[in-house]
Every structure is written in structure tokens, then in C-alpha cells.
Amino acid sequence: MQWAYRPVCDNKTRLKVREETELKNFPLFCPKCKNETLVDVKGFKMTIIKEPDAKTQS
């Protein structure tokens, strides 16, 4: 099991992934920069789908 790092800012998120983890269109939130990125995760490989224009609501 590994921590997921946000691919844009390379900060650690609050999500842990395992080798058999599969996520599609997952909104990955970064607690440090307060931004969200849509990602696909398969195993330990993460792919960015797109970077949203607006910040998330607080």
C-alpha cells in the first residue's frame, strides 16, 4: 500500500492505493494546495484526465 501523490504539485494526499486498486474519473483532492484533479488510477500508475478550472468549495 502506498500514499497517492497529486501529480500536478507532487504533494501527498489523504488517499492510499493498493496494487489492485482501480479508479476512474476520481476527484483527487490536495489538502495543501486546496485543488482537485480528475485522475484514473490502475495499480500504482496514476493518469491525469483534466485539470478543473474552478477551485473546490470550502
Side-chain angles (χ1 to χ4, degrees):
M1 201 169 344
Q2 293 182 8
W3 287 104
Y5 287 84
R6 187 167 176 260
V8 176
C9 64
D10 212 28
N11 287 324
K12 187 165 78 170
T13 63
R14 296 181 178 135
L15 179 73
K16 280 190 175 183
V17 293
R18 296 172 51 148
E19 190 174 351
E20 60 271 0
T21 301
E22 288 188 32
L23 299 169
K24 271 191 124 92
N25 296 325
F26 184 77
L28 184 64
F29 178 74
C30 177
K32 290 185 181 177
C33 64
K34 309 285 190 246
N35 285 321
E36 188 174 276
T37 306
L38 286 177
V39 296
D40 284 344
V41 177
K42 185 163 184 168
F44 295 125
K45 185 178 179 197
M46 187 177 301
T47 308
I48 299 174
I49 297 172
K50 68 176 184 172
E51 187 71 25
D53 295 331
K55 286 188 175 183
T56 58
Q57 293 181 350
S58 301

